[in-house]
Amino acid sequence: STQPCLTTCFNISLTFFFATGNTTEGIVDYSNVESKFSLRTAEVPDDDLCYIVPGQPDTVAGCSFNLETQTFVVIHGWTVTGMFESWVPKLVAALYKREPTANVIVVDWLNRAQQHYPTSAAYTKLVGQDVAKFVNWLENEIGYPWEKVHLLGYSLGAHVAGIAGFLTNHKVHRITGLDPAGPGFEFADPQSTLSPDDANFVDVLHTNTRGSPDRSIGIQRPVGHVDIYPNGGTFQPGCDLQNTMLMIATTGFQNMDQIVKCSHERSIHLFIDSLVNKEKQSMAYRCNKKEAFDKGLCLSCRKNRCNTLGYQVNKVRSRRSAKMYLKTREMMPFKVFHYQVKVHLFSQDKLEFTEQPMKMSLYGTDGEAEAIAFTLPLLYSNTTVSFLLTTDVNVGDLLKVTLQWENDSLFSLSSWWSSNKFWVRRLRIKSGETQAKVIFSAKNGEFAFLSRGGDHAVFVKSKDQQSSRKEERRHKRKMQGSLFTKSTE
Ligand SMILES: *[C@@H]1O[C@H](CO)[C@@H](O)[C@H](O)[C@H]1NC(C)=O
Ligand SMILES: *[C@@H]1O[C@H](CO)[C@@H](O)[C@H](O)[C@H]1NC(C)=O
Ligand SMILES: *[C@@H]1O[C@H](CO)[C@@H](O)[C@H](O)[C@H]1NC(C)=O
């Protein structure tokens, strides 16, 4: 249990900080600053060529620090190897690509970061203090505006950023937490972890929260103003065992720690994606529960319910931090388009199916996405199902869709005796990205048929788009009515 140490260490370092941090006289002791601040360049993003040393103003000019532009401070996390991980130069290069005149500073606390995890975790206090001293020094001695400082911390580095933000004289502009570390921090107080009070704006990506609280690699609870949980936050696509084996086969076991951290590190690559793929910004949507999101129920953008993931996030500072969700691809660019599909299934006889494999195709003004496979958890007579459909293809405005019910692998003989056909009059589709709601009706006749193992049902954009509020309400009442009847049976 690292908790008592964290608290004690923190109180000690806090006292120490305020005792030595008397800046009014201009005599601040920087001799105990162990962390190093390397100003990297766009030309050489992977090497430390020039350090800015707090207390030594000549190093600012010596490294050609640009006082006119913004500064990114990149803070790494725990390391097994004691070396910078491969993502560091990638993030540096991406920051320069997006903001060529900015200063990108990499904090080097590798010595303290390569200890036994609880020791390194406790060191976040001292490193946070180092970073705070650095920022205060830039502000007080060099006259650099603190509103231009953006701290980016990964894993333990996210908590370092939080502690630094808490200790600076003025709040820094922004802190981005990239999958803040979980063990030792899930139940810790806000002063020892990243929290919304640590900067004017705090945005957080949670990508590896699988496991029990305080045991998962990434922290589970929201710790910023905007907390985004890609793919539910637990685990990321492309990080499964099959891909792991492939990576071992191609890169060998020496990258084992990289492989283990696939989901954890995905937070960084999602942020890099937002920097370099300006035209493919991923959208995230506020939702109370991951399960509701997976049913497509949370694709609203009203009242800041949706936001852009990463660099271009809309800086909404709500009182209560809200969890936001999205799906992504397994590689860069990560963006997908989200759709909620609602379909009412009629049948004469009572039918009930679970976990059914389906396929849907979307045809739009700009392209098509064919045979998107997904599983419907429940098909039930005379009820409306709602589900989330995603594709990485930008189809534009939807014109036609098809829906097909696949044979499942356990297609049983009994299915032969009974009818396994639903009647569908229309589909309602809402796009998360455009917020457009479109009604589709059966292409041929009043109904299309959805039968197991049968042909796909074809729907075209309905001529009467009865999407008026009144119609919506009427529809909702009808749905509730049918659900009510069902539940009282
Ligand atoms: C800080 O500096 C002020 C102004 O010079 C001085 O009055 C005060 O005693 C100093 N405080 C500490 C804790 O050194
Ligand atoms: C479903 O609704 C239709 C039309 O209202 C009705 O004819 C049919 O009997 C219902 N089926 C079941 C299983 O309740
Ligand atoms: C589904 O299975 C049935 C019975 O085995 C078969 O007749 C049908 O062609 C299959 N449909 C598809 C789309 O594979």
Side-chain angles (χ1 to χ4, degrees), residues 5-195:
C5 171
L6 284 178
T7 318
T8 324
C9 298
F10 181 61
N11 288 339
I12 292 167
S13 62
L14 199 64
T15 315
F16 186 63
F17 177 75
F18 285 119
T20 57
N22 194 345
T23 52
T24 44
E25 275 184 317
I27 352 167
V28 183
D29 182 13
Y30 296 107
S31 63
N32 63 339
V33 174
E34 270 187 35
S35 311
K36 290 185 281 182
F37 302 89
S38 164
L39 180 60
R40 297 230 179 154
T41 61
E43 294 73 35
V44 190
D46 56 350
D47 210 353
D48 297 312
L49 303 175
C50 199
Y51 291 101
I52 297 183
V53 186
Q56 297 180 23
D58 55 314
T59 58
V60 172
C63 290
S64 308
F65 181 89
N66 188 343
L67 289 165
E68 304 302 318
T69 63
Q70 74 212 96
T71 295
F72 298 103
V73 180
V74 175
I75 310 169
H76 64 81
W78 189 50
T79 162
V80 179
T81 59
M83 294 187 297
F84 282 120
E85 290 169 336
S86 57
W87 61 263
V88 175
K90 288 179 191 155
L91 179 56
V92 171
L95 288 164
Y96 276 126
K97 187 171 181 220
R98 185 60 177 264
E99 303 289 353
T101 61
N103 307 294
V104 181
I105 287 171
V106 173
V107 179
D108 174 350
W109 64 287
L110 292 169
N111 280 339
R112 288 161 164 175
Q114 60 175 322
Q115 312 297 319
H116 186 48
Y117 176 82
T119 309
S120 291
Y123 271 137
T124 54
K125 307 294 174 185
L126 292 173
V127 183
Q129 183 186 302
D130 285 354
V131 175
K133 278 193 177 182
F134 174 71
V135 172
N136 282 342
W137 173 72
L138 277 182
E139 181 194 332
N140 296 332
E141 312 285 318
I142 310 299
Y144 184 77
W146 74 90
E147 326 84 268
K148 288 188 177 170
V149 177
H150 181 171
L151 309 178
L152 301 105
Y154 166 59
S155 194
L156 283 182
H159 298 303
V160 168
I163 291 156
F166 176 73
L167 292 175
T168 50
N169 297 340
H170 294 101
K171 277 192 184 183
V172 297
H173 169 61
R174 177 174 172 187
I175 294 176
T176 297
L178 302 168
D179 210 24
F185 295 94
E186 195 75 58
F187 305 114
D189 54 81
Q191 283 84 25
S192 339
T193 66
L194 180 58
S195 74

